[in-house]
Amino acid sequence: MQVMVIMKATRSSEAGVMPSQEDMARMIRFNEEMVAAGILKSADGLKPSRFGKRVRFLQGGGTAVTDGPFGATRELIAGYWVWEVKSMDEALEWVKRCPDPMPGEEAEIEIRPFFGPEDFGAEFTPELQERVEEMHRAVEPR
């Protein structure tokens, strides 16, 4: 199963405080362990929300754009991983091994499974599934 592991933002991450060399080295070691185990598919950190934009799709059509920063720091994302694991329990065990992502602050990591074709029912026809698979093949790193 594929999961997205979401590192929630903190006051420091939203302020643009960068990790120390030691903290980066710990996280890189952890990422290297996941690569060796074959579960890490993608990972990146995100800049603070002041660099972002939100687009709201309005009822009846049209869009509204809001420039960052955005409030409610606990609801923002500071970084993510995409993992291929056997189960949610395995993902949870890896998260428990993770170095403290925000030393000196309370941090939170959320684990969310991706949808699979079976989750969509009959509406996700074989033809639509093939189009999605073609798209995935086209964007896979070579």
Side-chain angles (χ1 to χ4, degrees):
M1 83 185 291
Q2 202 167 60
V3 296
M4 178 172 277
V5 181
I6 303 162
M7 189 178 307
K8 297 296 188 96
T10 65
R11 285 189 183 139
S12 292
S13 68
E14 273 297 287
V17 175
M18 300 306 285
S20 70
Q21 183 177 3
E22 295 80 19
D23 291 336
M24 283 190 283
R26 277 193 289 276
M27 195 59 75
I28 289 169
R29 275 193 302 277
F30 179 65
N31 287 341
E32 289 169 340
E33 289 177 30
M34 292 188 292
V35 168
I39 71 164
L40 183 62
K41 301 302 174 195
S42 178
D44 264 308
L46 300 173
K47 288 186 176 185
S49 69
R50 71 177 177 268
F51 295 103
K53 296 185 180 293
R54 284 190 177 161
V55 179
R56 188 167 33 121
F57 291 81
L58 305 173
Q59 185 175 359
T63 58
V65 177
T66 304
D67 293 329
F70 309 120
T73 299
R74 294 182 51 206
E75 301 303 319
L76 299 174
I77 299 171
Y80 73 93
W81 290 285
V82 175
W83 296 347
E84 184 72 41
V85 293
K86 293 181 183 84
S87 66
M88 190 62 106
D89 287 338
E90 182 184 11
L92 183 59
E93 289 306 314
W94 277 101
V95 169
K96 288 179 179 180
R97 292 177 51 192
C98 179
D100 185 347
M102 305 288 180
E105 293 183 273
E106 188 170 306
E108 183 175 53
I109 293 178
E110 180 178 335
I111 309 167
R112 301 268 303 273
F114 282 83
F115 280 112
E118 66 282 357
D119 296 312
F120 292 100
E123 290 80 8
F124 195 35
T125 65
E127 294 80 18
L128 292 174
Q129 289 181 42
E130 179 56 31
R131 287 174 59 191
V132 170
E133 289 172 19
E134 284 179 30
M135 179 184 60
H136 285 170
R137 286 190 296 271
V139 298
E140 282 178 357
R142 291 176 169 56

